[in-house]
Amino acid sequence: MVIRIDGKRFQSGHEFIWYQSTFADIKVLHAEIALGSKLDSNSSAPPAGDLLVVERRIQIKHLIATMGRVSSRELASRFCVSEDTIRRDLRALNRAGAALKVYGGAVRTRGAEMSPFPVPPTDAGVLVAAAIRLICPNQSIYLDESAESVAVAGALSPALNLTVTTNSSCVLRMLDAQTREVIFLGGLYDFERSATFGSASISLARNLHFDVSVLGDCLVDIDCGLVSSNFHMAELKSVVAERSNAIALLTTGALIGTAPFMVAPINKVKYIISKHAPDEHVLGALADQGIRWETV
């Protein structure tokens, strides 16, 4: 795998060098990308003998292995604990190499042991499979920091011969080592989302072109277009949208709504893949814009 970070070429390895470029200086950030690296040194292990914690984490590990992706909200509801408790569990599993923690939940690591029992396709798995069908060999694609994009990264075959651009360190960790070329948008690193944002990321994105961009963490406002509740995410996604031939919006959650920050006009979106079907009025309005909606 060849990785480009702010135009610099690096061979793949356990340690990547991320560049944050400003007008006159370049700050070098070293980050360990090896599976099981220590991402959160402040998180403590469960007390010895606390079987409830250990048992819950074992169950979560099996859920991730079989489903491929879990959300903190769903796990909190399932185990009747707070989302903060689940986030501590996911950080512990991340450090142990049993899962890859992403914003909003966790995904199965590439090459992780699969469950030996037949498991019916999950909503997330079918969603990812539908997204993969939109990607053609030899294309240049963009994967954002959303959990959906991370799951897509883990399912990409090296045979597609893709150039993959991302702002997400989780996407980097999920890509196969034989991926043709990877471009990482260096910039100000957001540890909560495991992704870069800001002027450096935007500057590099403006010099690139994408056949397909896979985006999550957005809402569709029929009157305004694609919107986001986070300014920094919207700022980068809007530049990516300008440089994209097609946008594929993926989500397992709610999709229709309003938010304060504009990402792209509605006619830039070509595909929407969701587990929720819209009403006929919304579906008709989107079809009039040439948008294909697929409910999985």
Side-chain angles (χ1 to χ4, degrees), residues 41 48 74 123 132 134-135 147 153 160 163 165 192 200 203 214 229 233 236 275 283 292 296:
S41 59
E74 291 169 352
D123 290 334
I132 294 295
L134 304 176
I135 299 171
L160 287 170
T163 293
T165 300
E192 181 183 3
S203 177
V214 178
S229 59
M233 292 167 62
L236 177 57
K275 60 183 285 189
L283 198 59
R292 194 179 89 194
V296 298

PDB file of all heavy atoms in Angstrom, residues 41 48 74 123 132 134-135 147 153 160 163 165 192 200 203 214 229 233 236 275 283 292 296:
ATOM      1  N   SER A  41      -5.273   6.246  27.457  1.00  0.00           N
ATOM      2  CA  SER A  41      -4.525   5.787  28.620  1.00  0.00           C
ATOM      3  C   SER A  41      -5.260   6.070  29.920  1.00  0.00           C
ATOM      4  O   SER A  41      -4.902   5.540  30.963  1.00  0.00           O
ATOM      5  CB  SER A  41      -3.152   6.453  28.647  1.00  0.00           C
ATOM      6  OG  SER A  41      -3.295   7.863  28.693  1.00  0.00           O
ATOM      7  N   ALA A  48     -10.989  -6.437  39.290  1.00  0.00           N
ATOM      8  CA  ALA A  48     -10.908  -7.893  39.328  1.00  0.00           C
ATOM      9  C   ALA A  48     -12.151  -8.446  40.012  1.00  0.00           C
ATOM     10  O   ALA A  48     -12.587  -7.954  41.051  1.00  0.00           O
ATOM     11  CB  ALA A  48      -9.646  -8.320  40.084  1.00  0.00           C
ATOM     12  N   GLU A  74     -27.459   1.557  20.810  1.00  0.00           N
ATOM     13  CA  GLU A  74     -28.148   0.266  20.800  1.00  0.00           C
ATOM     14  C   GLU A  74     -27.617  -0.649  21.903  1.00  0.00           C
ATOM     15  O   GLU A  74     -28.384  -1.364  22.553  1.00  0.00           O
ATOM     16  CB  GLU A  74     -27.989  -0.388  19.433  1.00  0.00           C
ATOM     17  CG  GLU A  74     -28.751   0.330  18.330  1.00  0.00           C
ATOM     18  CD  GLU A  74     -28.368  -0.170  16.949  1.00  0.00           C
ATOM     19  OE1 GLU A  74     -27.402  -0.962  16.845  1.00  0.00           O
ATOM     20  OE2 GLU A  74     -29.028   0.239  15.972  1.00  0.00           O
ATOM     21  N   ASP A 123     -28.614  -5.136   9.118  1.00  0.00           N
ATOM     22  CA  ASP A 123     -28.908  -3.906   8.382  1.00  0.00           C
ATOM     23  C   ASP A 123     -27.627  -3.245   7.910  1.00  0.00           C
ATOM     24  O   ASP A 123     -27.515  -2.795   6.771  1.00  0.00           O
ATOM     25  CB  ASP A 123     -29.700  -2.944   9.282  1.00  0.00           C
ATOM     26  CG  ASP A 123     -31.118  -3.430   9.544  1.00  0.00           C
ATOM     27  OD1 ASP A 123     -31.643  -4.176   8.693  1.00  0.00           O
ATOM     28  OD2 ASP A 123     -31.682  -3.082  10.589  1.00  0.00           O
ATOM     29  N   ILE A 132     -20.958  -0.950  -1.782  1.00  0.00           N
ATOM     30  CA  ILE A 132     -19.854  -1.515  -2.563  1.00  0.00           C
ATOM     31  C   ILE A 132     -20.246  -1.668  -4.023  1.00  0.00           C
ATOM     32  O   ILE A 132     -19.421  -1.483  -4.934  1.00  0.00           O
ATOM     33  CB  ILE A 132     -19.426  -2.878  -1.973  1.00  0.00           C
ATOM     34  CG1 ILE A 132     -18.828  -2.702  -0.575  1.00  0.00           C
ATOM     35  CG2 ILE A 132     -18.432  -3.573  -2.893  1.00  0.00           C
ATOM     36  CD1 ILE A 132     -17.538  -1.932  -0.537  1.00  0.00           C
ATOM     37  N   LEU A 134     -21.815   0.298  -5.793  1.00  0.00           N
ATOM     38  CA  LEU A 134     -21.743   1.584  -6.489  1.00  0.00           C
ATOM     39  C   LEU A 134     -20.320   1.928  -6.929  1.00  0.00           C
ATOM     40  O   LEU A 134     -20.120   2.867  -7.690  1.00  0.00           O
ATOM     41  CB  LEU A 134     -22.272   2.699  -5.578  1.00  0.00           C
ATOM     42  CG  LEU A 134     -23.686   2.541  -5.023  1.00  0.00           C
ATOM     43  CD1 LEU A 134     -23.994   3.694  -4.078  1.00  0.00           C
ATOM     44  CD2 LEU A 134     -24.700   2.472  -6.145  1.00  0.00           C
ATOM     45  N   ILE A 135     -19.345   1.188  -6.418  1.00  0.00           N
ATOM     46  CA  ILE A 135     -17.939   1.497  -6.665  1.00  0.00           C
ATOM     47  C   ILE A 135     -17.405   0.598  -7.770  1.00  0.00           C
ATOM     48  O   ILE A 135     -17.539  -0.625  -7.708  1.00  0.00           O
ATOM     49  CB  ILE A 135     -17.121   1.314  -5.372  1.00  0.00           C
ATOM     50  CG1 ILE A 135     -17.646   2.279  -4.285  1.00  0.00           C
ATOM     51  CG2 ILE A 135     -15.641   1.554  -5.632  1.00  0.00           C
ATOM     52  CD1 ILE A 135     -17.058   2.024  -2.910  1.00  0.00           C
ATOM     53  N   ALA A 147     -19.165   5.882  10.806  1.00  0.00           N
ATOM     54  CA  ALA A 147     -19.047   4.441  11.035  1.00  0.00           C
ATOM     55  C   ALA A 147     -19.391   3.660   9.774  1.00  0.00           C
ATOM     56  O   ALA A 147     -18.814   2.598   9.516  1.00  0.00           O
ATOM     57  CB  ALA A 147     -19.962   4.027  12.183  1.00  0.00           C
ATOM     58  N   ALA A 153     -14.848   0.593   4.179  1.00  0.00           N
ATOM     59  CA  ALA A 153     -13.402   0.416   4.005  1.00  0.00           C
ATOM     60  C   ALA A 153     -12.979  -1.020   4.288  1.00  0.00           C
ATOM     61  O   ALA A 153     -12.135  -1.581   3.592  1.00  0.00           O
ATOM     62  CB  ALA A 153     -12.645   1.382   4.911  1.00  0.00           C
ATOM     63  N   LEU A 160     -10.255  -4.161  -6.720  1.00  0.00           N
ATOM     64  CA  LEU A 160     -10.897  -2.986  -7.314  1.00  0.00           C
ATOM     65  C   LEU A 160      -9.877  -1.955  -7.784  1.00  0.00           C
ATOM     66  O   LEU A 160     -10.207  -1.058  -8.562  1.00  0.00           O
ATOM     67  CB  LEU A 160     -11.863  -2.349  -6.302  1.00  0.00           C
ATOM     68  CG  LEU A 160     -13.161  -3.109  -6.032  1.00  0.00           C
ATOM     69  CD1 LEU A 160     -13.896  -2.506  -4.837  1.00  0.00           C
ATOM     70  CD2 LEU A 160     -14.049  -3.105  -7.261  1.00  0.00           C
ATOM     71  N   THR A 163      -8.054   4.215  -5.684  1.00  0.00           N
ATOM     72  CA  THR A 163      -7.391   5.258  -4.912  1.00  0.00           C
ATOM     73  C   THR A 163      -8.401   5.723  -3.874  1.00  0.00           C
ATOM     74  O   THR A 163      -9.487   6.187  -4.219  1.00  0.00           O
ATOM     75  CB  THR A 163      -6.964   6.441  -5.789  1.00  0.00           C
ATOM     76  OG1 THR A 163      -5.940   6.020  -6.690  1.00  0.00           O
ATOM     77  CG2 THR A 163      -6.422   7.584  -4.932  1.00  0.00           C
ATOM     78  N   THR A 165      -9.294   8.123  -0.650  1.00  0.00           N
ATOM     79  CA  THR A 165      -8.963   9.309   0.147  1.00  0.00           C
ATOM     80  C   THR A 165      -9.856   9.341   1.369  1.00  0.00           C
ATOM     81  O   THR A 165     -11.046   9.025   1.285  1.00  0.00           O
ATOM     82  CB  THR A 165      -9.169  10.593  -0.676  1.00  0.00           C
ATOM     83  OG1 THR A 165      -8.324  10.561  -1.825  1.00  0.00           O
ATOM     84  CG2 THR A 165      -8.824  11.831   0.150  1.00  0.00           C
ATOM     85  N   GLU A 192     -12.087  12.594  19.316  1.00  0.00           N
ATOM     86  CA  GLU A 192     -13.414  12.007  19.541  1.00  0.00           C
ATOM     87  C   GLU A 192     -13.903  11.282  18.291  1.00  0.00           C
ATOM     88  O   GLU A 192     -14.479  10.198  18.369  1.00  0.00           O
ATOM     89  CB  GLU A 192     -14.423  13.090  19.933  1.00  0.00           C
ATOM     90  CG  GLU A 192     -15.817  12.547  20.199  1.00  0.00           C
ATOM     91  CD  GLU A 192     -16.823  13.626  20.524  1.00  0.00           C
ATOM     92  OE1 GLU A 192     -16.466  14.819  20.489  1.00  0.00           O
ATOM     93  OE2 GLU A 192     -17.980  13.278  20.797  1.00  0.00           O
ATOM     94  N   ALA A 200      -6.095  22.657   6.653  1.00  0.00           N
ATOM     95  CA  ALA A 200      -5.134  21.799   5.964  1.00  0.00           C
ATOM     96  C   ALA A 200      -5.847  20.682   5.196  1.00  0.00           C
ATOM     97  O   ALA A 200      -5.510  20.380   4.047  1.00  0.00           O
ATOM     98  CB  ALA A 200      -4.143  21.207   6.963  1.00  0.00           C
ATOM     99  N   SER A 203      -7.655  22.243   2.187  1.00  0.00           N
ATOM    100  CA  SER A 203      -6.731  22.649   1.126  1.00  0.00           C
ATOM    101  C   SER A 203      -6.339  21.464   0.253  1.00  0.00           C
ATOM    102  O   SER A 203      -6.308  21.572  -0.982  1.00  0.00           O
ATOM    103  CB  SER A 203      -5.490  23.290   1.747  1.00  0.00           C
ATOM    104  OG  SER A 203      -4.545  23.629   0.756  1.00  0.00           O
ATOM    105  N   VAL A 214     -18.423   8.564  -0.355  1.00  0.00           N
ATOM    106  CA  VAL A 214     -19.343   7.918   0.586  1.00  0.00           C
ATOM    107  C   VAL A 214     -19.380   8.752   1.857  1.00  0.00           C
ATOM    108  O   VAL A 214     -18.359   8.917   2.532  1.00  0.00           O
ATOM    109  CB  VAL A 214     -18.890   6.479   0.892  1.00  0.00           C
ATOM    110  CG1 VAL A 214     -19.837   5.835   1.907  1.00  0.00           C
ATOM    111  CG2 VAL A 214     -18.832   5.655  -0.389  1.00  0.00           C
ATOM    112  N   SER A 229     -25.103  18.889  11.383  1.00  0.00           N
ATOM    113  CA  SER A 229     -25.205  19.650  12.629  1.00  0.00           C
ATOM    114  C   SER A 229     -23.848  20.084  13.160  1.00  0.00           C
ATOM    115  O   SER A 229     -23.762  20.801  14.154  1.00  0.00           O
ATOM    116  CB  SER A 229     -25.922  18.803  13.696  1.00  0.00           C
ATOM    117  OG  SER A 229     -25.203  17.604  13.933  1.00  0.00           O
ATOM    118  N   MET A 233     -17.329  19.345  10.304  1.00  0.00           N
ATOM    119  CA  MET A 233     -17.633  18.241   9.398  1.00  0.00           C
ATOM    120  C   MET A 233     -18.251  18.764   8.109  1.00  0.00           C
ATOM    121  O   MET A 233     -17.878  18.342   7.006  1.00  0.00           O
ATOM    122  CB  MET A 233     -18.578  17.243  10.080  1.00  0.00           C
ATOM    123  CG  MET A 233     -17.933  16.487  11.224  1.00  0.00           C
ATOM    124  SD  MET A 233     -19.121  15.588  12.253  1.00  0.00           S
ATOM    125  CE  MET A 233     -19.813  14.458  11.062  1.00  0.00           C
ATOM    126  N   LEU A 236     -15.633  20.504   5.657  1.00  0.00           N
ATOM    127  CA  LEU A 236     -14.825  19.603   4.842  1.00  0.00           C
ATOM    128  C   LEU A 236     -15.683  18.837   3.837  1.00  0.00           C
ATOM    129  O   LEU A 236     -15.322  18.720   2.659  1.00  0.00           O
ATOM    130  CB  LEU A 236     -14.074  18.617   5.739  1.00  0.00           C
ATOM    131  CG  LEU A 236     -13.236  17.554   5.023  1.00  0.00           C
ATOM    132  CD1 LEU A 236     -12.204  18.191   4.100  1.00  0.00           C
ATOM    133  CD2 LEU A 236     -12.556  16.631   6.036  1.00  0.00           C
ATOM    134  N   LYS A 275     -31.779   2.190   6.031  1.00  0.00           N
ATOM    135  CA  LYS A 275     -32.657   1.135   6.524  1.00  0.00           C
ATOM    136  C   LYS A 275     -34.077   1.648   6.727  1.00  0.00           C
ATOM    137  O   LYS A 275     -34.977   0.881   7.035  1.00  0.00           O
ATOM    138  CB  LYS A 275     -32.115   0.561   7.841  1.00  0.00           C
ATOM    139  CG  LYS A 275     -31.986   1.564   8.967  1.00  0.00           C
ATOM    140  CD  LYS A 275     -31.375   0.948  10.212  1.00  0.00           C
ATOM    141  CE  LYS A 275     -32.371   0.075  10.934  1.00  0.00           C
ATOM    142  NZ  LYS A 275     -31.848  -0.353  12.261  1.00  0.00           N
ATOM    143  N   LEU A 283     -40.009  10.551  -1.291  1.00  0.00           N
ATOM    144  CA  LEU A 283     -39.432   9.693  -2.321  1.00  0.00           C
ATOM    145  C   LEU A 283     -39.645  10.301  -3.710  1.00  0.00           C
ATOM    146  O   LEU A 283     -38.741  10.299  -4.553  1.00  0.00           O
ATOM    147  CB  LEU A 283     -40.057   8.305  -2.252  1.00  0.00           C
ATOM    148  CG  LEU A 283     -39.299   7.169  -2.944  1.00  0.00           C
ATOM    149  CD1 LEU A 283     -37.896   7.018  -2.359  1.00  0.00           C
ATOM    150  CD2 LEU A 283     -40.062   5.864  -2.822  1.00  0.00           C
ATOM    151  N   ARG A 292     -31.443   8.198  -6.465  1.00  0.00           N
ATOM    152  CA  ARG A 292     -31.906   6.837  -6.295  1.00  0.00           C
ATOM    153  C   ARG A 292     -31.847   6.456  -4.814  1.00  0.00           C
ATOM    154  O   ARG A 292     -30.786   6.497  -4.196  1.00  0.00           O
ATOM    155  CB  ARG A 292     -31.031   5.864  -7.092  1.00  0.00           C
ATOM    156  CG  ARG A 292     -31.638   4.489  -7.240  1.00  0.00           C
ATOM    157  CD  ARG A 292     -30.728   3.596  -8.051  1.00  0.00           C
ATOM    158  NE  ARG A 292     -29.784   2.909  -7.193  1.00  0.00           N
ATOM    159  CZ  ARG A 292     -28.708   2.272  -7.634  1.00  0.00           C
ATOM    160  NH1 ARG A 292     -28.403   2.295  -8.919  1.00  0.00           N
ATOM    161  NH2 ARG A 292     -27.907   1.639  -6.801  1.00  0.00           N
ATOM    162  N   VAL A 296     -32.668  -0.849   2.658  1.00  0.00           N
ATOM    163  CA  VAL A 296     -32.118  -2.193   2.903  1.00  0.00           C
ATOM    164  C   VAL A 296     -32.663  -2.757   4.209  1.00  0.00           C
ATOM    165  O   VAL A 296     -33.203  -2.043   5.031  1.00  0.00           O
ATOM    166  CB  VAL A 296     -30.577  -2.159   2.938  1.00  0.00           C
ATOM    167  CG1 VAL A 296     -30.023  -1.707   1.608  1.00  0.00           C
ATOM    168  CG2 VAL A 296     -30.071  -1.243   4.069  1.00  0.00           C
TER     169      VAL A 296
END
